[in-house]
Each structure stands twice: as C-alpha cells, then as structure tokens.
Amino acid sequence: GGLLPAMLGGGVLAWYLCVYTPLKRRTPFALTVGALCGAVAPVIGWVAAGGEMADYRIVFLAGVLYLWQVPHFWLLQSRYAADYRNAGIPVFSSMVSGRGYGSCCRLWVFALCAATLLLPAFGIIERHFAFLFVLFPLPLLIGFSTRSESALFSYLNLFPVVTTLLLFL
C-alpha cells in the first residue's frame, strides 16, 4: 500500500500504546482519545487503495465511526462494570450520576444519528439507499425512549456491519 498507510498504521499503534493505554487506568474519558484509533482504520484502507487522505468522504466516514465507538463502548462498559472496576479501569457510568450518564450517551447517539443521515447527502452512500438511512436511526431512538440498554447495545453492534454493506451496494 505504500509509505503513507504504513505511517498511519504506525502512528495509530503508537497512539494506542503510548497515549490511550496509559489513560485507560487514569480517566473514564480515555475512550474519547482511543476512539481515534478505530476511526483511522478505514482511512488506512482508503489510502492503501489509492484514495486521498483528505478526501471528505473518508474523513466523514471516519468521523461517523468515531461517533459510533463512544456510546458502543459506554454501553459495553456499563454491562461489565464490575469487571472493569476489578481490572482498575475507571467506569464512566459510575463516575457520572445516572441522569448524566444517560444524557451523555443520548447526546453521542443523537450525533451518530445525525451524521448517519448525512451519509447519502455527501454521496458516501448511494442516494437510492437513502431511505434506509432515514430508517436506520429509528431503532436507536426507540431504544432510548424505552430505556432498553440491551436492545440499544445490540443495535449499535450492527451499525458497522450495516454501514459497510451499504458502502458496497
């Protein structure tokens, strides 16, 4: 793939090991730093395939994946909070009051929904699939309104799969 994808991969590895990993034991907000690693992965593939790193489509897609990782991990961490605490990793849901945790998670999911709805508008998803992306956020919003963490978590797990499938259609 060339020098740039290798440099991006090395940069992500260094960021993960030298910045994110040490922060995990210090603050529950380390995820906002560590999510950059997951967001850069498609950029590496894009650049390796010959695309420009500054192309708005891959930057936007990386941003959407960044937005997805935060609520996904918060819900995972909430589900296994005792295990994280036993490992000495601060848990976001226990550092913030119940309402604050829900508000933060809801804000991230709403940002994810808004960004997802923009994928067809920016030409990242074919316009004839735009109707799917209008429907896509509905289960997320229903999951929040019914306060069903397990349904919300399951649906968030499907997000990267559905997005990837629609990118190739």
Side-chain angles (χ1 to χ4, degrees):
L3 183 60
L4 184 56
M7 288 174 52
L8 284 170
V12 166
L13 182 61
W15 185 262
Y16 188 90
L17 294 174
C18 299
V19 178
Y20 173 58
T21 299
L23 281 177
K24 282 195 279 190
R25 293 200 181 266
R26 293 192 178 110
T27 176
F29 300 104
L31 172 62
T32 58
V33 172
L36 291 171
C37 297
V40 173
V43 176
I44 294 170
W46 178 268
V47 171
E52 291 292 322
M53 191 168 79
D55 188 315
Y56 74 92
R57 294 171 296 178
I58 195 61
V59 171
F60 194 86
L61 183 61
V64 168
L65 290 174
Y66 176 84
L67 289 172
W68 166 79
Q69 289 178 86
V70 175
H72 167 75
F73 188 77
W74 280 343
L75 288 168
L76 180 69
Q77 196 178 54
S78 177
R79 183 178 273 187
Y80 300 106
D83 294 334
Y84 280 95
R85 276 190 221 99
N86 289 339
I89 297 173
V91 177
F92 180 72
S93 61
S94 62
M95 302 288 274
V96 179
S97 70
R99 280 187 152 176
Y101 169 71
S103 295
C104 286
C105 207
R106 204 170 0 271
L107 178 65
W108 279 92
V109 169
F110 286 143
L112 174 63
C113 290
T116 300
L117 290 172
L118 290 172
L119 287 171
F122 282 94
I124 298 166
I125 300 294
E126 293 294 324
R127 293 195 191 270
H128 57 276
F129 290 112
F131 72 94
L132 291 174
F133 272 78
V134 170
L135 299 176
F136 187 76
L138 288 178
L140 291 173
L141 300 174
I142 291 168
F144 267 118
S145 65
T146 61
R147 301 198 185 274
S148 173
E149 245 185 49
S150 63
L152 186 59
F153 182 70
S154 297
Y155 193 70
L156 276 172
N157 283 334
L158 291 174
F159 177 81
V161 173
V162 172
T163 303
T164 302
L165 287 174
L166 289 173
L167 286 172
F168 290 107
L169 292 178

